[in-house]
Amino acid sequence: MNALMEIWLGQPVWLWLAFIGIVLALLVFDLGVLHKDDHEIGVAESLKLSAFYITAGLAFGGWVWWYLGATSGMQYFTGFLIEKSLSLDNVFVISLIFTYFAVPRIYQHRVLFWGILGVIVLRAIMIGLGATLVAQYYWTLYIFGAFLILTGVKMLFAGDSPTDLASNPALRFLRRHMRVTPELHAQRFFVQAPAADGSGRLVWWATPLFLALCMVELVDLVFAVDSVPAIFAITTDPFIVYTSNIFAILGLRALYFALAAVIHRFHYLKYALALVLVFIGSKIFLGDFVFDGKVPAPLSLAVTFGLLAAGILYSLWKTRKV
């Protein structure tokens, strides 16, 4: 019992174990009950599943508010909101990946599900490293802040350049160093087939579905470079950073099948996201040099929500005839 009460990364061990248990239960329920048989996920099912995950994330945030206090609760919801919004661009790129590899909708959930497991591990590593850096060298927060401001400004003035997957260095590396079948083999990531040298011996080949999974993981890693510093700029509590990240991603992946077809309706949201990144990056400097501490959590949540809501509404209005 004493071991469970010990503090690890700012919170008792039992708190981390409870969160991990909740996430594992959600994933088991998703794969073992809702999707034990492969089937094509429609918009209606996608919205229902997403509503379920969003409800779970909001309920967890409510519990954080009750157990850890109002400030922690608002920091969780701010992080949850930012991560979900930043991941909208992620949806667009994932859609391009599935199109490039000609992955049928019936197999896309399998890629996204296993991708979630990779996200959970990768985000844990990145957040753990970030928390260690901030704890030992507080000035790294200023680097995070400057990086977010520069990223936001770049987003404001960057054009809509198309993504060329065929020339992606990571994809070219995988194709050079792995045997890859030219076609899909249902939902399998690897298959045994005769070697290309004509010897007749059976060897393992990766399928395009596995390459799609690798690219989805790479995309998440790239987007995490923005989202993880953004949440550290809100709070340095690794528990709040990690839990808000994971719950937001769980819900968004479920919403993918509904969003993929209408992602163009959110074209102008990127400008709101850019302003959010600039604001979040500026928070670090404002907190230390203007507010004599941290920017108040209610103000941070209000500004973030206001900017994102304005971006979504403006996008929907501008694209109402599209």
Side-chain angles (χ1 to χ4, degrees):
M1 181 62 69
N2 290 335
L4 294 178
M5 297 304 296
E6 288 184 2
I7 302 299
W8 185 68
L9 291 178
Q11 298 296 342
V13 171
W14 74 265
L15 208 57
W16 288 98
L17 293 178
F19 167 71
I20 293 171
I22 291 171
V23 172
L24 289 178
L26 288 173
L27 293 176
V28 169
F29 177 71
D30 189 336
L31 188 65
V33 178
L34 298 180
H35 300 99
K36 60 181 178 181
D37 300 318
D38 283 324
H39 65 278
E40 185 174 319
I41 298 178
V43 173
E45 182 180 354
S46 174
L47 291 173
K48 291 177 182 177
L49 185 59
S50 179
F52 168 74
Y53 275 119
I54 290 173
T55 301
L58 294 178
F60 188 85
W63 181 84
V64 168
W65 191 304
W66 171 78
Y67 185 77
L68 297 178
T71 298
S72 294
M74 283 184 279
Q75 290 170 344
Y76 171 92
F77 285 119
T78 304
F80 180 85
L81 187 61
I82 289 174
E83 176 59 39
K84 187 167 288 292
S85 301
L86 285 173
S87 296
L88 286 176
D89 276 347
N90 200 334
V91 168
F92 174 73
V93 179
I94 289 173
S95 178
L96 290 179
I97 291 172
F98 285 149
T99 300
Y100 177 79
F101 289 105
V103 178
R105 286 177 64 91
I106 192 172
Y107 303 135
Q108 290 176 7
H109 179 269
R110 177 175 173 81
V111 175
L112 294 175
F113 176 84
W114 290 105
I116 282 289
L117 297 183
V119 168
I120 291 173
V121 175
L122 289 174
R123 292 293 174 100
I125 294 172
M126 293 184 69
I127 291 171
L129 291 174
T132 302
L133 278 174
V134 171
Q136 295 186 7
Y137 310 102
Y138 179 81
W139 52 266
T140 56
L141 274 179
Y142 297 121
I143 296 178
F144 287 170
F147 173 75
L148 292 173
I149 293 172
L150 291 174
T151 301
V153 172
K154 183 180 177 181
M155 283 178 64
L156 278 175
F157 298 101
D160 296 323
S161 55
T163 302
D164 184 11
L165 286 177
S167 61
N168 183 278
L171 182 57
R172 293 205 307 266
F173 176 85
L174 290 173
R175 288 192 183 279
R176 284 199 307 267
H177 293 83
M178 297 180 68
R179 292 183 289 263
V180 182
T181 62
E183 70 285 325
L184 293 170
H185 289 261
Q187 63 172 350
R188 301 177 67 180
F189 291 125
F190 296 93
V191 293
Q192 274 193 311
D197 58 11
S199 64
R201 62 191 178 91
L202 293 178
V203 295
W204 285 101
W205 292 68
T207 70
L209 200 68
F210 178 73
L211 293 187
L213 174 61
C214 292
M215 294 306 295
V216 167
E217 294 289 6
L218 178 62
V219 165
D220 180 78
L221 186 61
V222 171
F223 277 91
V225 173
D226 288 339
S227 63
V228 170
I231 300 182
F232 266 113
I234 296 166
T235 175
T236 55
D237 185 340
F239 184 78
I240 302 298
V241 174
Y242 189 58
T243 55
S244 61
N245 243 257
I246 298 304
F247 267 116
I249 293 171
L250 285 173
L252 190 78
R253 295 300 172 95
L255 191 57
Y256 165 81
F257 296 95
L259 279 180
V262 296
I263 193 65
H264 64 281
R265 295 290 309 275
F266 298 93
H267 175 75
Y268 295 93
L269 178 60
K270 73 172 187 177
Y271 299 109
L273 287 172
L275 293 176
V276 167
L277 290 180
V278 172
F279 168 70
I280 295 300
S282 302
K283 261 171 44 63
I284 298 173
F285 301 98
L286 291 173
D288 285 354
F289 302 117
V290 177
F291 286 91
D292 193 25
K294 289 187 176 181
V295 174
L299 176 62
S300 179
L301 179 59
V303 172
T304 301
F305 179 81
L307 288 172
L308 294 175
I312 291 173
L313 293 175
Y314 184 72
S315 293
L316 294 175
W317 179 71
K318 288 288 288 186
T319 60
R320 63 192 183 280
K321 295 181 181 179
V322 177

